[in-house]
Amino acid sequence: MNLIFLGAPGSGKGTQAEFVSEKMNILPVSTGNILRDAVKNQTEAGLAAKKFMDAGDLVPDEVVIGILKDRIAQPDAKNGFILDGFPRTVEQAKALEEMGVKIDLVVEIDVPDERICGRMGGRRVCDKCGASYHIEYKPTKVESKCDSCDGNAIQRADDKPETVLDRLKVYHEKTAPLRDFYAKLGKLKTVEGQIEIADTKRLTFEAIGIQ
């Protein structure tokens, strides 16, 4: 099965995509990672992407999708794949369709903005080892100090309230219209994100039809 996971930043779509990937033994695909790998391995599409990246330009959709097609043609994607973070716009979704990338189902994890702001605003990350914490759900044993090393548990710039609100605004303007696009194709399933990750996982599995 070939899946796309949609959801605002902080909705937990990446976590749910990991659960589904493990359960169904299908490949999680990060466009950022495959882009870097293609450039590193100097594939034809990777060299094309490098020209744009070196010039400081955005890599065109058709080049990104070309790299994506190369990646999902590999043996480890034979059972299917999950796209998380792509497509971001209706134009990219149309380009995927036109280039023959078959998508079976699109799962949207829907979480209210106010809960996302609270969730992301409480996140803390160790500035040394990268361990993740949350002031409410997973606090450090000693305030602002990492449990694993002597690093400081800090709030990333991306998680500050004003930045989160800006990211949500961009999501609603650019990415949210994908819901209508895939709904019209009969491929959209919306999962209401719950407080507990396990509850969202159960609803996600039900939406996909797995146990």
Side-chain angles (χ1 to χ4, degrees), residues 34 109 126 188 201:
I34 63 172
I109 307 296
C126 176
L188 181 71
K201 177 182 177 182

Side-chain angles (χ1 to χ4, degrees), residues 136-190:
E136 184 178 351
Y137 306 119
K138 189 186 174 185
T140 54
K141 291 172 185 172
V142 177
E143 187 175 353
S144 300
K145 297 300 290 184
C146 179
D147 294 350
S148 304
C149 70
D150 61 351
N152 297 308
I154 61 168
Q155 184 178 47
R156 299 183 311 171
D158 272 3
D159 292 334
K160 290 183 177 175
E162 60 273 19
T163 308
V164 173
L165 287 171
D166 284 344
R167 292 173 71 195
L168 287 170
K169 182 172 180 282
V170 170
Y171 174 78
H172 291 307
E173 288 175 356
K174 301 284 188 184
T175 308
L178 284 167
R179 288 181 297 198
D180 293 336
F181 177 81
Y182 284 115
K184 286 174 183 173
L185 294 176
K187 295 181 178 180
L188 181 71
K189 293 275 184 133
T190 298

Side-chain angles (χ1 to χ4, degrees), residues 21-94:
S21 168
E22 290 173 9
K23 178 70 175 178
M24 300 183 72
N25 189 29
I26 55 180
L27 180 74
V29 177
S30 158
T31 47
N33 289 344
I34 63 172
L35 196 58
R36 285 187 287 272
D37 287 345
V39 170
K40 179 182 171 185
N41 296 329
Q42 298 190 330
T43 66
E44 185 178 342
L47 291 172
K50 189 174 186 299
K51 288 180 183 176
F52 292 99
M53 293 162 75
D54 287 347
D57 296 328
L58 287 173
V59 181
D61 292 345
E62 59 269 21
V63 176
V64 175
I65 294 169
I67 290 171
L68 173 62
K69 287 187 76 173
D70 287 346
R71 182 64 188 89
I72 62 179
Q74 299 301 312
D76 60 352
K78 69 180 186 301
N79 286 338
F81 58 84
I82 297 177
L83 298 184
D84 174 9
F86 191 90
R88 292 182 183 272
T89 64
V90 170
E91 289 71 26
Q92 290 176 343
K94 288 178 178 175

